Amino acid sequence: MILVTGATGNIGRALLRELQACGAGPLRGLTRDAARATFPQNVEAVEGDFAEPESLKPALEGVRSLFLVSRLGSDADILDAAQAAGVEHVVLVSSITAQTHPHLGPAKENLAVERLLKESGMAWTILRPTQFASNALMWAASIRDREAVRAPYADTGLPTIHPADIASVARAALTEPGHQGRTYALTGPEPVTARQQVEAIAAALGRDVPFMEISRQEAHARMAAVFGDEAADAVLDVTGGDVNDELLAVRDTVSRVTGSPARPFQQWAAENAGIFR
């Protein structure tokens, strides 16, 4: 039994499709509302809430392998529940900032979760992806309203990763030997700047999308209003304010683990163009 948490999210949906396609199973997808969840055939929808670890016990019953996205609840309690249920292997999604910016608050939190998993006694695989292509969804409302996309550090390019590539690596780690005790840094196939991302979305839409570079100060004010000052600073540091060679590096991990090349941002834009219309 494999349990996929965050089963309706960008990674979880793709992972369930891949697991079902390769004949893995039995499979469970964790969601807060099983009645509204749409999963592939033969995937059991189970309800649970990370904010209430007790609610996860029925979902974990009989589970051998667990796919877990970090920092969505009390990770210590979630891992304790998994261990108590007899889970043998956990594939954890952390962040590449755990190695590129370990001094930042979110990175420290990810490192703490990684440490808890390693000390749990369960087998582990840790995935450290870079910036998600799906982060571009934060521009969707502006693009639908035909307003300018406003972003700082317009020409700093990170090797943005398609969430489906994270899912592909997770599928390999859950179903193939040789991945336990490994930590994988994951990136897309090439650097792509904010300006280039908007251009790719415009090409997928078949129309112009205006773009305006803004200052860090303006971007910080917008983000801090939603996420708080510390989180806003952390995001801005890793998207342009404090980039380093390790964060900018393109890695071949996806192709080495899965046997398929990492998907370019343009593919993500074409697949998700409808969200921006």
Side-chain angles (χ1 to χ4, degrees):
M1 175 72 72
I2 298 173
L3 174 64
V4 174
T5 67
T8 59
N10 291 318
I11 306 171
R13 287 196 309 270
L15 176 56
L16 282 174
R17 288 195 297 268
E18 288 212 20
L19 289 169
Q20 194 269 345
C22 75
L27 302 173
R28 280 183 188 155
L30 184 72
T31 176
R32 277 187 249 181
D33 188 349
R36 297 178 59 186
T38 303
F39 293 152
Q41 187 177 8
N42 300 323
V43 175
E44 178 189 359
V46 291
E47 291 188 351
D49 190 335
F50 282 136
E52 300 177 11
E54 284 290 317
S55 72
L56 302 180
K57 287 185 178 180
L60 287 165
E61 185 175 350
V63 169
R64 178 177 174 271
S65 299
L66 171 67
F67 173 78
L68 178 65
V69 178
S70 70
R71 301 171 58 234
L72 295 181
S74 173
D75 291 293
D77 290 339
I78 294 166
L79 291 173
D80 283 346
Q83 185 182 30
V87 172
E88 299 174 10
H89 179 209
V90 177
V91 175
L92 175 72
V93 179
S94 179
S95 169
I96 203 166
T97 58
Q99 64 199 67
T100 65
H101 290 73
H103 58 286
L104 295 178
K108 290 179 181 178
E109 293 175 13
N110 275 312
L111 284 168
V113 180
E114 292 182 10
R115 187 162 51 250
L116 285 172
L117 176 56
K118 291 177 179 180
E119 294 172 352
S120 70
M122 296 179 285
W124 52 269
T125 307
I126 294 170
L127 311 184
R128 289 177 170 174
T130 187
Q131 181 187 68
F132 289 14
S134 53
N135 287 2
L137 291 173
M138 64 184 171
W139 302 325
S142 295
I143 294 174
R144 286 195 300 267
D145 292 341
R146 297 186 175 247
E147 298 174 350
V149 171
R150 302 166 68 88
Y153 308 119
D155 299 306
T156 298
L158 302 181
T160 300
I161 189 167
H162 194 309
D165 283 330
I166 305 171
S168 294
V169 175
R171 187 267 311 154
L174 288 163
T175 61
E176 300 173 0
H179 301 292
Q180 295 184 5
R182 302 292 298 274
T183 298
Y184 292 124
L186 306 177
T187 75
E190 60 186 357
V192 55
T193 68
R195 194 188 306 276
Q196 290 169 333
Q197 289 181 44
V198 173
E199 290 171 353
I201 294 168
L205 294 174
R207 65 174 175 85
D208 290 338
V209 175
F211 179 87
M212 179 181 297
E213 183 172 14
I214 61 175
S215 68
R216 180 187 177 108
Q217 289 75 15
E218 181 177 346
H220 183 276
R222 288 165 171 255
M223 291 181 186
V226 179
F227 305 112
D229 284 337
E230 183 179 8
D233 278 329
V235 170
L236 290 167
D237 280 348
V238 300
T239 54
D242 185 29
V243 294
N244 55 41
D245 289 344
E246 192 171 11
L247 184 65
L248 296 172
V250 173
R251 304 163 197 271
D252 66 351
T253 317
V254 171
S255 60
R256 285 193 293 106
V257 172
T258 69
S260 298
R263 299 163 173 90
F265 182 85
Q266 291 84 346
Q267 179 175 339
W268 181 89
E271 292 168 353
N272 292 276
I275 301 172
F276 298 92
R277 287 201 169 94

